[in-house]
Amino acid sequence: MEQIIQLEKAANVRDLGGYKAINGIVRMNKVIRSASLSELSFNDQEKLQQYGVKDVVDFRSPSEATEAPDKTIPQAAEYFLPVFGHDETKVSISPKELLKQLEQGMTAKAQMIKVYRHFIEDEHAQAAYRKFLQILLENDTENTSVLFHCTAGKDRTGFGAALVLDLLEVDAQTIMADYLATNHYLNERISAMVKKAKEQGAPDLLVAGIKDLMKADALYLNESYTAAREHYGSLKNYVKTGLGFTEGEIKDLQKLYLIK
């Protein structure tokens, strides 16, 4: 099954369908992860409409959404669910500001580890993922998709994808492989950013910081699992206790998104 959705002006757009779970296979045309939709071409908009996208969930911060508004997908409902009040992932930060923060002692890896803990611990993040799962539960029409995204489709989206796949009981190795696949689909973009920084005389500290912020790293996602175990016992219990979903609702999600 082809999971990547080739678009002209958007990267890292992937159907989560096709993965094997304990009790079935994840349905195609039901849930899609993506990077920013701010530069979609007319053809992209039409293609996503034809693909069945009926709901678009935007996890970006208010400033990111204001600076680069989504191009709309015809007839799709839009949900603005900022995971954080500002962009903690730093993917939208300017090189000048990033260098300043790095010089002041921030390390990119430490920042990303903090972000992935916040997916579990931060009430703002919990509210966004709670509403996201509610939207998925309401997507009960065949071949209609919920598309969710942030800026790079890497962190807030990556955690969202891991959350959904975990609830569908896809194995941990497959979930991690889906998360890390972002590095392949964003490789060209990351290489261009690094090249531009070097051409402009960026110090090694900044180049290394860009790489650490822009890549998906197993260390990062594992921090979310660690935080979930510490606070709730497991990621599933985070959904039940932290987000307030019942076992019955989780079973309903599996019925909607799995082919037995």
Side-chain angles (χ1 to χ4, degrees):
M1 295 183 183
E2 180 62 30
Q3 290 177 302
I4 189 72
I5 301 173
Q6 297 288 354
L7 298 177
E8 296 172 348
K9 295 292 184 177
N12 202 19
V13 184
R14 292 183 270 144
D15 195 314
L16 291 182
Y19 289 129
K20 290 182 180 179
I22 291 175
N23 292 311
I25 298 174
V26 182
R27 293 182 185 274
M28 297 291 292
N29 289 82
K30 290 299 292 180
V31 59
I32 300 166
R33 56 175 298 169
S34 173
S36 175
L37 304 180
S38 63
E39 297 182 2
L40 291 179
S41 68
F42 176 78
N43 288 337
D44 292 338
Q45 292 167 295
E46 290 293 306
K47 184 170 184 176
L48 290 173
Q49 181 191 21
Q50 291 168 10
Y51 201 84
V53 174
K54 78 172 189 70
D55 295 310
V56 175
V57 174
D58 184 354
F59 286 145
R60 296 177 300 167
S61 66
S63 62
E64 291 171 279
T66 298
E67 291 168 11
D70 278 355
K71 293 286 183 67
T72 58
I73 298 169
Q75 300 178 359
E78 298 176 22
Y79 297 90
F80 183 54
L81 305 179
V83 171
F84 302 123
H86 63 280
D87 179 20
E88 290 193 21
T89 66
K90 308 290 185 182
V91 295
S92 59
I93 196 172
S94 70
K96 182 179 179 180
E97 180 59 27
L98 175 58
L99 179 59
K100 178 182 175 182
Q101 292 186 19
L102 291 169
E103 288 176 339
Q104 290 174 345
M106 181 195 86
T107 68
K109 278 195 174 183
Q111 175 64 23
M112 296 310 299
I113 287 170
K114 183 171 73 172
V115 164
Y116 278 76
R117 288 196 71 87
H118 282 179
F119 292 147
I120 302 296
E121 298 171 345
D122 184 84
E123 290 183 2
H124 209 276
Q126 290 177 2
Y129 289 115
R130 181 182 298 114
K131 179 60 177 176
F132 170 53
L133 292 180
Q134 288 170 344
I135 292 167
L136 289 178
L137 276 169
E138 293 165 6
N139 180 31
D140 56 3
T141 305
E142 192 171 346
N143 293 325
T144 56
S145 299
V146 175
L147 183 152
F148 61 104
H149 79 94
C150 50
T151 293
K154 175 176 70 78
D155 304 309
R156 292 160 288 189
T157 298
F159 174 74
L163 189 63
V164 172
L165 294 175
D166 185 84
L167 291 174
L168 297 180
E169 298 182 334
V170 173
D171 68 271
Q173 186 175 355
T174 300
I175 293 173
M176 184 60 76
D178 176 82
Y179 169 72
L180 294 175
T182 284
N183 291 329
H184 171 71
Y185 294 114
L186 292 185
N187 182 58
E188 189 174 317
R189 176 180 173 181
I190 296 170
S191 295
M193 290 176 67
V194 169
K195 181 182 178 182
K196 183 177 179 180
K198 288 181 176 179
E199 288 175 348
Q200 294 177 345
D204 291 343
L205 179 66
L206 179 57
V207 172
I210 291 171
K211 289 179 179 178
D212 284 338
L213 286 176
M214 289 304 299
K215 72 180 180 181
D217 190 319
L219 182 71
Y220 303 160
L221 184 57
N222 281 332
E223 192 66 27
S224 293
Y225 286 110
T226 298
R229 284 193 298 270
E230 288 175 3
H231 293 287
Y232 301 100
S234 68
L235 194 59
K236 185 177 181 181
N237 282 339
Y238 155 76
V239 171
K240 293 167 73 173
T241 305
L243 304 188
F245 286 84
T246 66
E247 185 67 35
E249 287 173 319
I250 293 171
K251 293 296 184 186
D252 288 341
L253 193 73
Q254 293 172 357
K255 288 176 185 176
L256 285 172
Y257 290 89
L258 291 176
I259 301 171
K260 298 288 186 176

